[in-house]
Amino acid sequence: MSDLKASASSHDEMDGLDESAVGVPAPNTASGFTRDYSLPTVVPKRIHPLAAMALMVAALIPILAMPQAHKVIRKLQHDGGRGRGVAQAAIVIGYLNILLFALVGLNVAVAALLHSAT
């Protein structure tokens, strides 16, 4: 017969990889695991600071807030991010305040005109 004997093959001979050369831990060991079970913290993205500023200024000086809010919306459309709704709210509040200032001014002018006529 033949003098060839079947030798017991190791894991490395079966797949042809040498795990010890690449730092792979031995099978069935828990050395690569840690006891830290905490989830990673997710930092929420903040709204664009100029959008928040435009919203605050829109209540007092809408003429200054309107261009700033439009600029923030264009920037957010281009770069992405949060704060588009805040900038849109600043635009709406700014237009409403401009309308309110115009109506108050018209009311004062009509009252002054009627007062001087009598």
Side-chain angles (χ1 to χ4, degrees):
M1 300 262 184
S2 171
D3 290 334
L4 295 174
K5 293 182 184 178
S7 65
S9 62
S10 68
H11 184 68
D12 290 338
E13 292 176 357
M14 290 187 341
D15 62 4
L17 297 174
D18 185 15
E19 284 87 2
S20 62
V22 292
V24 176
N28 299 328
T29 62
S31 63
F33 298 104
T34 62
R35 292 195 178 264
D36 185 18
Y37 298 113
S38 64
L39 296 174
T41 57
V42 178
V43 178
K45 292 171 62 176
R46 295 182 178 178
I47 63 170
H48 199 282
L50 293 179
M53 185 204 63
L55 183 62
M56 290 184 282
V57 173
L60 302 173
I61 312 169
I63 302 290
L64 296 176
M66 304 290 291
Q68 189 65 37
H70 282 288
K71 187 189 311 184
V72 169
I73 287 179
R74 280 186 306 226
K75 183 174 177 63
L76 290 176
Q77 283 176 346
H78 183 264
D79 297 340
R82 294 181 61 192
R84 182 174 176 174
V86 175
Q88 289 173 342
I91 290 172
V92 169
I93 290 171
Y95 281 128
L96 290 176
N97 276 342
I98 288 173
L99 179 65
L100 179 69
F101 289 159
L103 289 176
V104 168
L106 180 67
N107 192 10
V108 168
V110 169
L113 184 69
L114 290 177
H115 183 67
S116 66
T118 56

